[in-house]
Amino acid sequence: MIRCPECSAEIDVDEDEVEEGEILSCPECESELEVSQIHPVHLNIISEDLDDDEDDEDEEEEIAGNGDLPEDDEEDDEEEDEE
């Protein structure tokens, strides 16, 4: 029996048949878990990381959405041209 690292619920998985890199889902907290090690089986939470990455990508798109530099960078460029 394997325990969820998020909520400590028991996850019914045959430890001999699980593969490294396999994605499992906790039946209690619904966290997505990646098998990071076998013998003994070790799970890492991956669902929270994905949400953070999506937020970061959205912020980057907003900044570079129109192709212009942010205002602070434009002022720095003007100062360099004057020198």
Side-chain angles (χ1 to χ4, degrees):
M1 199 58 70
I2 303 172
R3 293 208 174 262
C4 173
E6 180 73 16
C7 69
S8 299
E10 291 183 353
I11 301 174
D12 186 23
V13 175
D14 187 348
E15 295 185 25
D16 294 329
E17 294 182 10
V18 74
E19 295 180 11
E20 192 170 326
E22 188 173 340
I23 305 298
L24 305 174
S25 181
C26 175
E28 294 293 321
C29 68
E30 298 181 3
S31 292
E32 290 184 346
L33 309 167
E34 180 180 13
V35 179
S36 61
Q37 173 184 320
I38 54 175
H39 306 296
V41 175
H42 186 265
L43 302 174
N44 287 333
I45 301 168
I46 60 171
S47 59
E48 291 179 11
D49 294 340
L50 291 177
D51 291 341
D52 292 342
D53 291 345
E54 289 173 5
D55 292 342
D56 293 344
E57 289 173 9
D58 290 344
E59 290 174 10
E60 290 173 8
E61 288 176 10
E62 289 175 11
I63 293 172
N66 61 6
D68 292 339
L69 294 172
E71 290 182 24
D72 294 341
D73 291 345
E74 288 178 5
E75 291 175 10
D76 293 341
D77 291 342
E78 290 175 9
E79 290 175 11
E80 291 175 11
D81 291 341
E82 292 174 7
E83 291 176 10

